[in-house]
Structures are given as structure tokens and as C-alpha cells.
Amino acid sequence: MKEEALKVIEEVLKSGRTSLVEYEAKQVLKAYGLPVPEEKLAKTLDEALKYAEEIGYPVAMKLMSPQILHKSDAKVVLLNIKTPEELKEKWELIHENARKYRPDAEILGVLIAPMLKVGREIIIGVTEDPQFGHALMFGLGGIFVEVLKDVTFRIIPITERDARKMIRDIKSYPILAGARGEEPADIDAIVSLLLKVSELVDDLRDYIKEMDLNPVFVYEKGKGAVVVDARIILKG
């Protein structure tokens, strides 16, 4: 696990960067068994067409550039691409949008990803406190984190008991537990995610400065969760 993740991290550091693009961050997560979609990084249009056929339409396209971390602002995330003809058109558009946003942006490729079923959104984050070390954050996504700041923290490493307490601690926990007749979310999948992030950061604490998994889709009980977007910042 650690060795595989370190290979990705060391390659990024060798290139002079401390920020992993989404594709690289997900390779680190995958090494620790976190659930990420089966995505492929296409460097040419032919590769993009090949990967889309392998994944199956519709697909999503996300341009990967170290200089464009907020992909939605740059309009380099294009969703629900249904045919090869549409993918060819969007290949040109996504590169044009990147050039308009940051003419000097280094483009590493375009991530070809399956369109995911939307689930309840959660956010998992990691920050490093100079006094206490790395802290793990958990909360619901969207308005719950942006406006209500409904999140909870624990110092890494955490136990399973800590993880379950974190989930119950947020005010919006009833939404996960199944409010107004909704099916409960897969709490065990969230516990597993929190424990795996804790293990990853504990192992790589000399390298990891910050991490954001946002959003993570959580499905109904027994149906798991998937990390939709990820960002990792390394220590300089």
C-alpha cells in the first residue's frame, strides 16, 4: 500500500510540484483500498475514444492540469458525453476552455470517467495542526459544509469507535440515518472510508499536508460509497 502510494508521490515531487491532480490523488487513495471509479487518463483523442468505449457511454471528461485545481471554475469538467462524435467535439472544447482560463497551464491529459449514480454527498478532509498533528474532518457535503459548517474533527489515527462517533456527532446525522422515510445511508462504508484515510495519512504523515475528498457519494445501506473528486497537497 505505502510503497505504491509513495511511487505516485515521489514522481510528483520530482516534477517540482506539491499538489497532486485528481488522477494522481486517486491513485494514492486506490493504493489504500479507497473506492474510486474506474477512470483512465487519456493523453490523445484516440486514447480518449478507446477508453470511453471500454468504460461504456455516457462518460465524464475532466481535464487534468496542476495549474487548474478548481476545474468547475475553468469549465474543464464536461458530463454525460453520450457518443464518440460528441466526445470528439468536447475534446476540442475542454482544451479551449483550459487555454482561456490559464494559457500557460500544463495539461497532463483528460480523465475519462463513468457517469456515477448520485448519492448522499459527504466530505472528508485532512489538515495538519502544528501542535496536534494531522486532523481528520467529516461532514455532509454541499450547503451543510459551505454554509452550516456542520463538520467534526478527530486527531489521526482514529479507531472504528472514533469513526462511528464522528458520523453521529454531526447535526445532520439524521439525513444519513434515514430521515422522512428515506433508506439509511451505508454507514459502514463511511466508517471504512474514515479508517482508510486515517491509515493512509498516518503512514504518509511526512508527506501529506492537506487532503480533500469532496464530494464522496454514499449510497443506501449495503451499496457502498465512491470518491468522486480528490485533492492532496504535499509538504514542500
Side-chain angles (χ1 to χ4, degrees), residues 11-198:
E11 283 298 315
V12 171
L13 290 172
K14 273 184 199 171
S15 73
R17 291 187 279 125
T18 55
S19 176
L20 278 66
V21 299
E22 177 185 339
Y23 176 72
E24 294 161 339
K26 284 180 172 173
Q27 295 304 302
V28 172
L29 300 179
K30 194 174 178 181
Y32 276 80
L34 277 92
V36 298
E38 288 300 320
E39 303 169 329
K40 298 189 177 186
L41 186 66
K43 296 187 177 179
T44 66
L45 175 58
D46 285 344
E47 284 184 352
L49 290 165
K50 176 173 175 278
Y51 295 156
E53 286 294 340
E54 290 173 2
I55 291 169
Y57 290 95
V59 296
M61 301 171 70
K62 302 179 183 180
L63 185 135
M64 298 289 109
S65 168
Q67 289 79 37
I68 304 177
L69 295 181
H70 300 288
K71 296 186 287 295
S72 295
D73 292 349
K75 299 180 182 175
V76 294
V77 176
L78 303 177
L79 304 176
N80 209 25
I81 313 297
K82 296 186 180 70
T83 64
E85 290 72 25
E86 190 179 356
L87 189 147
K88 289 177 187 174
E89 290 175 17
K90 296 296 172 62
W91 180 267
E92 294 301 323
L93 176 63
I94 204 168
H95 284 82
E96 185 181 328
N97 289 347
R99 287 192 293 269
K100 283 181 184 172
Y101 186 78
R102 278 289 299 261
D104 63 336
E106 178 191 3
I107 295 172
L108 303 181
V110 175
L111 205 57
I112 305 298
M115 288 297 298
L116 298 171
K117 177 189 169 191
V118 176
R120 272 166 272 198
E121 289 188 18
I122 63 168
I123 179 172
I124 297 174
V126 174
T127 55
E128 187 179 23
D129 181 273
Q131 185 175 356
F132 299 106
H134 289 87
L136 183 64
M137 181 198 77
F138 167 75
L140 289 194
I143 188 173
F144 295 98
V145 66
E146 291 169 10
V147 179
L148 303 178
K149 312 294 183 192
D150 184 18
V151 295
T152 183
F153 292 86
R154 292 291 187 285
I155 298 298
I156 289 172
I158 63 166
T159 64
E160 179 176 342
R161 184 178 179 182
D162 295 327
R164 293 191 183 279
K165 183 74 165 53
M166 288 178 78
I167 296 166
R168 290 193 302 270
D169 276 354
I170 59 172
K171 295 183 181 70
S172 43
Y173 171 67
I175 292 173
L176 293 173
R180 297 189 174 182
E182 281 195 344
E183 288 291 321
D186 197 331
I187 301 294
D188 287 343
I190 303 174
V191 170
S192 173
L193 277 165
L194 292 170
L195 290 172
K196 285 175 178 172
V197 171
S198 171

